[in-house]
Amino acid sequence: MCGIVGYLGNKKAHPILLDGLKKLEYRGYDSAGVALLENNIIKIFKAKGKVSDLEEKIKHVQLSADTGIAHTRWATHGVPNEINAHPHVSQSGKLALVHNGIIENYNVLREKLEQKGYVFYSETDTEVLVKFIEDVYLETGKSLFEAVQLALKRVVGAYAIALISTEMPGSMIIARKGSPLVVGLGKNGEFIVGSDAAPIIRHTKTVYYLDDNEVAFLQKGKEMQVITLDNKRISPLLTELDLSLEELEKGGYDYFMLKEIYEQPRSVYDSMRGRIDTEKQLVRLGGIEPYENHILEADRIIMVGCGTSWHAALVGEYLFEELARIPVETEYGSEFRYRNPIIRPRDVVIGISQSGETADTLAGLRLAKEKGALLLGVCNVVGSSVARETHAGVYTHAGPEIGVASTKAFTAQVTVLTLMALRLGYLKKNIDLNRYENLLCELEYIPEKIERALQSDLLVQQIAREYKNARNFLYLGRGINFPVALEGALKLKEISYIHAEGYPAAEMKHGPIALIDENMPVVVIATKKGNYDKIVSNIQEIKSRNGKIIAVVTEGDKEVARLADHLIEIPETDEMLTPLVATIPLQLLAYHIAVMLGRDVDKPRNLAKSVTVE
Ligand code: M6R
């Protein structure tokens, strides 16, 4: 949560910092602030609300600083207001700090500092950290860099920080543990720091992803120095970003979410690209190849994720059990990590995460690693913590996802899980060869079928208009489309703030059916194959209680057509692949309702893109 940006160079810092913050706003957007080092004075500007509010505040101020740090916040400690907004300054006012993460022992540190006469103005752990760093600096008489190292060694929790000081003009200290941090090495010795590469790409493609426990000293025009908390000097391995600026822009769409929904034919194709050898009818997943034997011998697979990624994991469970016949358990990261799960060395744990930074998923993976399991990652962000902390993995290659509501990341995750299930089923000889080849062939048509599913957009808009004022929605699906129902409901609630619940269709009669009346829209995924007859019966049950039925059906469907109030047709595909296509109209429905209700689709209230706190 929270985004941090830093700039050090020969240009004016504040426009670069504001632009960077806008790119990181998806990480949090309840307040923002900037600290600029100008003529040996630190100038701080803060605003409650979005980065545009901060921009408005400083647009008429004459500023010339070429060094600065900035922050966009998702509140963890203390309400969103200007006092709690970052940057925070030290007691003397000489240090300013931005921070992403949580300092768990901040209360103990704060008490000790208060006993020494320190005064606190905010409720944040960050103010404690900057004051603690200054305290260590003054007490030990060491350099500021060393003081940062010493202070961070005594800190419990997660952080990515950027620090400037009036005593170190033209310099900045950055550090990370548990929260992501990237530094871009620009022309003429300039440095751009970001929570991810988005603020950097405009300036340079050469970056260094800091590792946990590393502290870097950046000095304008000089070589970057990276040293661990234990004083080990690191030769930073620079990476060239494989990302373009256009990927980070809306490209003519009103919202990133809509752009990302429409990108799915391409992103699903990219998730498969180079991984299916059509001539030899083979799936190749280079990342996990060295571990295939280990995976084949696994007693079971545990999939761990949160939110949409958990829904993808659940689709994965159906895929792996059906196609590879390997037992799978799907776990919420947050539950898994705290309930002392039984994990054996012959278990394989797959962490699924778009950002690769979700705290609960990471904690679950770390726990499984301690217990000796093999860890695999399925994530989108290259170089993220999930990618680094797992033994092997498969990137989803969906491209940057900026909208807080996950869309293309979900279909990319499901695509990768399908490939994994097919590969393992084939190696285990647990899948009929004909079925295997048909599925491989059908997979290649999926991008085209998603394209066709997107043509329901206008119809979905009309449906959205009719139901936008509903107070509740039910989403029903069976089998592999049950997780799709969950995902449809999550999309609607998170961006439109309408209550929605996903259910296995047959479970409806065990309770939720009591909710059904003429005011309850029920979205049913009722594609052919699988449990079609059964779902038709469920639809009849809703119909006889006057519920409004919005059915997602296979093109040409006649039976559900007689019962449903609205029919959204999608192209036919193998049952195991329907989640990839059936999800599309549900994403569009959520999107249009949210737009019609005037919601901020890309930045829904109370949310952030990557949840790096427990
Ligand atoms: O980055 P991750 O995939 O690990 O994120 C997990 C969830 O926080 C995320 O999917 C969240 O539920 C989205 N807002 C859903 O649209």
Side-chain angles (χ1 to χ4, degrees):
M1 243 59 129
C2 304
I4 66 178
V5 194
Y7 177 78
L8 191 62
N10 298 317
K11 300 189 191 118
K12 275 193 182 177
H14 70 281
I16 295 173
L17 294 170
L18 288 173
D19 176 70
L21 284 187
K22 284 184 191 157
K23 298 272 179 330
L24 291 182
E25 231 178 344
Y26 71 88
R27 301 178 67 87
Y29 35 81
D30 58 41
S31 50
V34 61
L36 299 162
L37 187 52
E38 197 169 291
N39 304 328
N40 260 2
I41 295 170
I42 289 179
K43 293 186 174 169
I44 307 256
F45 302 91
K46 297 181 182 185
K48 183 172 183 286
K50 307 238 162 85
V51 176
S52 52
D53 297 304
L54 175 67
E55 193 170 37
E56 193 57 34
K57 208 164 180 179
I58 61 177
K59 80 175 177 207
H60 298 302
V61 186
Q62 287 298 324
L63 295 164
S64 60
D66 57 12
T67 303
I69 52 177
H71 188 270
T72 179
R73 180 167 187 250
W74 185 86
T76 57
H77 292 68
V79 294
N81 60 21
E82 284 191 19
I83 296 174
N84 288 329
H86 301 210
H88 288 281
V89 289
S90 62
Q91 187 86 342
S92 68
K94 290 181 179 170
L95 311 185
L97 180 86
V98 286
H99 163 224
N100 169 31
I102 288 190
I103 306 301
E104 286 167 16
N105 58 338
Y106 83 104
N107 255 333
V108 182
L109 296 173
R110 181 171 169 149
E111 271 169 31
K112 284 191 183 145
L113 291 169
E114 276 171 341
Q115 282 161 15
K116 286 172 133 184
Y118 283 79
V119 181
F120 290 88
Y121 303 97
S122 77
E123 300 159 79
T124 67
D125 49 347
T126 306
E127 188 185 359
V128 176
L129 182 58
V130 67
K131 289 186 168 160
F132 181 52
I133 290 173
E134 181 164 76
D135 187 60
V136 174
Y137 175 59
L138 298 174
E139 290 268 301
T140 60
K142 303 248 181 203
S143 71
L144 186 55
F145 187 86
E146 288 168 307
V148 169
Q149 281 176 307
L150 288 173
L152 291 180
K153 275 173 115 169
R154 288 168 58 190
V155 151
V156 180
Y159 53 78
I161 57 164
L163 176 92
I164 51 173
S165 162
T166 53
E167 294 188 3
M168 279 179 341
S171 314
M172 187 179 299
I173 297 171
I174 60 173
R176 85 155 254 179
K177 184 182 166 204
S179 299
L181 196 62
V182 200
V183 54
L185 283 66
K187 286 189 212 111
N188 308 322
E190 71 174 358
F191 294 99
I192 311 98
V193 177
S195 293
D196 70 25
I200 299 173
I201 187 76
R202 190 185 284 281
H203 309 280
T204 176
K205 288 203 164 192
T206 309
V207 299
Y208 177 64
Y209 288 90
L210 266 82
D211 243 320
D212 276 353
N213 300 314
E214 286 182 357
V215 190
F217 190 41
L218 313 177
Q219 287 171 283
K220 196 166 33 171
K222 296 201 180 149
E223 206 169 306
M224 168 174 67
Q225 293 176 52
V226 185
I227 301 171
T228 64
L229 289 185
D230 292 325
N231 247 344
K232 209 173 112 210
R233 201 166 274 275
I234 303 288
S235 305
L237 193 67
L238 302 185
T239 311
E240 284 299 304
L241 290 173
D242 179 19
L243 186 71
S244 69
L245 198 54
E246 297 75 63
E247 286 179 274
L248 303 170
E249 311 270 325
K250 284 195 207 137
Y253 287 90
D254 288 343
Y255 289 96
F256 279 110
M257 182 184 177
L258 189 62
K259 175 179 175 241
E260 287 155 6
I261 291 174
Y262 269 86
E263 275 172 357
Q264 288 175 107
R266 177 76 210 183
S267 53
V268 164
Y269 171 76
D270 285 343
S271 306
M272 292 191 277
R273 191 150 49 101
R275 290 172 168 166
I276 301 176
D277 182 337
T278 26
E279 239 169 66
K280 296 192 178 132
Q281 293 286 304
L282 283 179
V283 174
R284 288 195 194 288
L285 298 166
I288 57 167
E289 225 165 67
Y291 290 90
E292 271 176 358
N293 287 337
H294 192 132
I295 305 169
L296 291 173
E297 280 164 21
D299 290 330
R300 67 175 172 164
I301 287 177
I302 302 169
M303 307 227 189
V304 183
C306 300
T308 289
S309 295
W310 184 84
H311 297 153
L314 197 55
V315 176
E317 177 174 327
Y318 283 86
L319 287 164
F320 276 57
E321 295 204 339
E322 167 74 17
L323 306 177
R325 308 300 299 150
I326 304 176
V328 175
E329 281 165 33
T330 301
E331 298 273 1
Y332 287 110
S334 53
E335 290 298 313
F336 183 67
R337 60 179 297 194
Y338 284 120
R339 67 170 173 76
N340 194 13
I342 298 166
I343 306 166
R344 291 163 298 222
R346 277 166 62 106
D347 287 333
V348 171
V349 178
I350 307 184
I352 302 170
S353 173
Q354 187 287 128
S355 60
E357 301 296 343
T358 299
D360 288 324
T361 305
L362 272 168
L365 289 173
R366 287 172 188 149
L367 179 74
K369 200 183 224 174
E370 270 167 33
K371 300 201 178 213
L374 175 74
L375 303 191
L376 304 179
V378 172
C379 65
N380 195 35
V381 177
V382 175
S384 58
S385 300
V386 167
R388 279 140 40 127
E389 295 191 27
T390 46
H391 296 103
V394 186
Y395 279 121
T396 50
H397 295 314
E401 190 181 68
I402 314 261
V404 163
S406 198
T407 52
K408 64 174 180 171
F410 174 75
T411 44
Q413 288 165 340
V414 171
T415 306
V416 163
L417 291 168
T418 309
L419 293 174
M420 287 171 89
L422 283 168
R423 174 76 183 158
L424 297 176
Y426 173 83
L427 293 175
K428 268 187 156 301
K429 301 193 173 40
N430 279 348
I431 181 168
D432 170 81
L433 258 187
N434 262 339
R435 176 102 205 270
Y436 168 79
E437 286 176 10
N438 285 341
L439 273 164
L440 274 190
C441 176
E442 184 56 23
L443 249 183
E444 297 207 277
Y445 285 105
I446 290 295
E448 195 185 310
K449 293 191 176 182
I450 294 178
E451 194 83 65
R452 273 162 55 198
L454 285 166
Q455 289 167 12
S456 64
D457 198 354
L458 260 184
L459 169 68
V460 174
Q461 263 186 65
Q462 286 160 17
I463 300 172
R465 196 159 295 117
E466 197 163 326
Y467 295 100
K468 66 178 195 300
N469 294 319
R471 304 281 306 273
N472 301 286
F473 268 74
L474 259 186
Y475 284 73
L476 303 178
R478 293 185 79 126
I480 199 162
N481 285 318
F482 158 53
V484 175
L486 294 177
E487 177 57 9
L490 175 62
K491 284 294 85 81
L492 184 71
K493 64 186 141 194
E494 72 177 322
I495 60 167
S496 72
Y497 321 147
I498 294 174
H499 170 246
E501 273 194 68
Y503 251 92
E507 274 293 301
M508 192 188 54
K509 57 186 175 293
H510 298 289
I513 199 163
L515 293 168
I516 292 180
D517 61 17
E518 65 284 1
N519 298 316
M520 175 66 95
V522 187
V523 180
V524 192
I525 300 119
T527 46
K528 288 253 172 67
K529 307 203 176 137
N531 290 307
Y532 182 71
D533 293 342
K534 299 269 184 261
I535 207 136
V536 172
S537 309
N538 299 140
I539 290 175
Q540 256 151 353
E541 290 156 13
I542 303 165
K543 184 87 188 155
S544 39
R545 285 157 184 87
N546 298 324
K548 294 280 182 275
I549 299 155
I550 302 163
V552 176
V553 296
T554 310
E555 275 167 357
D557 181 288
K558 298 270 178 305
E559 220 170 326
V560 176
R562 280 197 293 273
L563 301 168
D565 297 271
H566 306 274
L567 215 59
I568 304 170
E569 292 189 318
I570 59 168
E572 182 163 2
T573 184
D574 187 285
E575 189 202 349
M576 287 292 112
L577 306 182
T578 44
L580 290 168
V581 189
T583 307
I584 307 298
L586 307 191
Q587 296 170 343
L588 287 169
L589 182 65
Y591 171 80
H592 287 301
I593 290 181
V595 171
M596 286 169 195
L597 293 176
R599 309 295 190 227
D600 190 346
V601 172
D602 285 336
K603 298 182 202 118
R605 70 182 180 203
N606 305 338
L607 279 169
K609 182 72 181 159
S610 72
V611 185
T612 55
V613 293
E614 294 169 25

